[in-house]
Amino acid sequence: MEIRGLFADTTPLRNPHFRRLWTANMVTVVGAQLTVVAVPAQIYAETGSSAYVGLTGLFGLVPLVVFGLWGGALADVMDRRTILIGTTIGLIATSAAFWAQAAAGIGSVWLLLGLFSVQQAFFGVNQPTRSAILPKLLTTAELPAANSLNMTVLQAGAIAGPMVGGILIPIAGFSWLYLVDTFTLFATLSAVVRLPKLPVEGAVSGTPGLKAVTDGLGYLKGHPVLLTSFLVDLIAMIFGMPRALFPAIAHLNFDGPKGGGVAFAFLFAAIPIGAVLGGIFSGWVSRVQRQGLAVIAAIVVWGLAITGFGLAVSLADNGARNWMLAFAVLMLVIAGAADMASAAFRMSMLQASASDEVRGRLQGVFIVVVAGGPRIADVAHGGAAAVVGSAAAASGGGVLVVVGVIIAALAVPGFIRYKLAPVPATG
């Protein structure tokens, strides 16, 4: 029983709707991560500039913020199943457009960035809705395990995507990666079509506008613990996510080809590998009572690991590149495991604490923070690397994470004391 308790709690999979969504994700996330890898790789191949790669952060952030917040408000008014069907179709169309531009050999960075913006707009509406339906399908006790299962699958796809993509880009080109993403999205479409109708309890009729969004944000004023959960994640991601530097680091510090290659693949896959390992051995998350303290500890580990990654990159320039690549990957693996734990706790805190009529809007804020933070980091790290170099940008950011999250925790002691009702692990 003790050994089984180490592994992920699979109780939520007994629910047929959750099981279908989760199973579909096993297919869809691989294709989605191929596009995640292909877009920055194609931009770097076209320009040779980390600054242009960093622009994906800006072009992704604006629609993500706007449509993430508005999409969350929409999810508090409309039937959530209808929203999921429409946005999934939009994601399929966008992915097909990525394939078309690559197959036609257009080679326009601005077209790529424009398509990326449209994709993030659909994502911004889809993801808050997807997260908001979980408390309607599952019990509160099942939420930590369900979130761990979802993130494990997501990160497993993020391993396969970079590994396959990094190897296939030099051989097959970018168009095939986009095409695979297009077809795998049909698995998710099939799952959401089979969901029951999901109307919102206490929903206000009409199309949500700015007031609905601000009302959702205003809800956080009376919930400092939830507000702090967003703040600490922004600290972790903005200062500690150096993914915009991976193409340049793989090429310049670890002697990889300009587009793709083994070092490129391992750098992109390392954080997801850590997250998957953390998810596989996530049985403990259902037994943790002080979730706030656990979030702080996980983010400190993340920051220290990113600092170690930056040091490994700097030492690679002095020789022993293979050893330093292995150490850099190890640091990113540790960071990924820490991030998985932090995200599972923060998501569960939000889902359990929010009432149904505001849950979509708060999930919109969550998605904006979780996905928007790394996009701000893309811009910040790309710019910083141009001034101080990739190694210093990464390691310095890791130090800032540790300092920033400790200050935030001390400023809101209630966050450290926060407890969710303990959930027994059933295996």
Side-chain angles (χ1 to χ4, degrees):
M1 291 296 293
E2 292 181 358
I3 294 177
R4 190 171 68 178
L6 293 173
F7 294 96
D9 182 357
T10 59
T11 303
L13 293 177
R14 296 173 184 172
N15 181 287
H17 300 301
F18 178 79
R19 184 172 61 250
R20 280 193 290 268
L21 287 171
W22 187 80
T23 304
N25 275 349
M26 296 178 70
V27 177
T28 300
V29 296
V30 175
Q33 289 300 320
L34 289 178
T35 293
V36 168
V37 172
V39 170
Q42 187 177 358
I43 291 174
Y44 188 74
E46 296 287 346
T47 66
S49 169
S50 290
Y52 271 105
V53 176
L55 281 179
T56 58
L58 179 62
F59 276 75
L61 178 62
V62 173
L64 185 65
V65 169
V66 173
F67 287 91
L69 295 176
W70 182 74
L74 193 66
D76 286 338
V77 176
M78 288 183 60
D79 181 274
R80 289 166 179 164
R81 173 181 175 270
T82 301
I83 297 174
L84 289 176
I85 293 173
T87 53
T88 301
I89 292 172
L91 288 169
I92 291 172
T94 307
S95 184
F98 272 119
W99 165 78
Q101 63 83 30
I106 296 174
S108 170
V109 172
W110 302 111
L111 175 60
L112 270 170
L113 292 172
L115 289 173
F116 185 66
S117 292
V118 175
Q119 181 191 60
Q120 293 306 295
F122 282 116
F123 178 84
V125 179
N126 180 278
Q127 290 303 302
T129 309
R130 192 182 185 94
S131 298
I133 69 172
L134 288 186
K136 303 288 288 183
L137 301 178
L138 304 169
T139 66
T140 300
E142 293 171 325
L143 291 178
N147 287 315
S148 294
L149 288 169
N150 277 339
M151 282 180 281
T152 300
V153 170
L154 177 66
Q155 298 298 340
I159 296 171
M163 295 297 290
V164 174
I167 294 171
L168 288 183
I169 287 171
I171 300 173
F174 300 106
S175 63
W176 282 100
L177 275 66
Y178 297 130
L179 188 61
V180 170
D181 184 21
T182 302
F183 282 105
T184 57
L185 280 165
F186 281 95
T188 292
L189 181 61
S190 173
V192 298
V193 166
R194 298 174 69 184
L195 285 170
K197 291 185 177 181
L198 294 167
V200 181
E201 297 177 9
V204 178
S205 61
T207 302
L210 181 60
K211 186 178 184 302
V213 174
T214 56
D215 286 346
L217 294 173
Y219 181 87
L220 292 173
K221 293 180 180 179
H223 297 77
V225 169
L226 294 181
L227 187 61
T228 304
S229 73
F230 294 139
L231 174 62
V232 295
D233 186 59
L234 283 174
I235 292 171
M237 292 296 102
I238 291 174
F239 295 117
M241 175 56 84
R243 66 182 182 185
L245 308 179
F246 290 169
I249 288 174
H251 175 52
L252 300 176
N253 299 95
F254 295 118
D255 291 333
K258 193 173 182 180
V262 174
F264 176 92
F266 273 108
L267 290 178
F268 266 97
I271 290 178
I273 287 173
V276 169
L277 291 175
I280 290 173
F281 297 102
S282 66
W284 61 277
V285 303
S286 295
R287 299 189 293 271
V288 171
Q289 297 184 36
R290 297 188 63 180
Q291 280 82 6
L293 180 60
V295 169
I296 297 300
I299 294 177
V300 168
V301 172
W302 163 273
L304 293 174
I306 295 300
T307 301
F309 166 75
L311 293 175
V313 173
S314 66
L315 292 174
D317 292 332
N318 298 322
R321 282 185 168 84
N322 289 337
W323 286 105
M324 288 302 100
L325 175 60
F327 183 70
V329 170
L330 175 62
M331 290 296 99
L332 293 177
V333 168
I334 293 173
D339 185 54
M340 193 289 302
S342 170
F345 288 129
R346 287 182 290 104
M347 176 72 83
S348 299
M349 291 164 65
L350 180 60
Q351 290 170 335
S353 301
S355 57
D356 192 49
E357 66 268 17
V358 298
R359 190 172 284 139
R361 280 168 283 183
L362 294 187
Q363 289 297 334
V365 176
F366 186 92
I367 294 301
V368 168
V369 169
V370 169
R375 283 159 177 76
I376 298 175
D378 290 342
V379 178
H381 281 76
V387 178
V388 301
S390 297
S395 58
V399 172
L400 290 175
V401 167
V402 176
V403 174
V405 76
I406 290 176
I407 292 174
L410 294 175
V412 188
F415 185 80
I416 301 178
R417 295 193 299 266
Y418 177 87
K419 292 183 179 181
L420 192 69
V423 181
T426 56

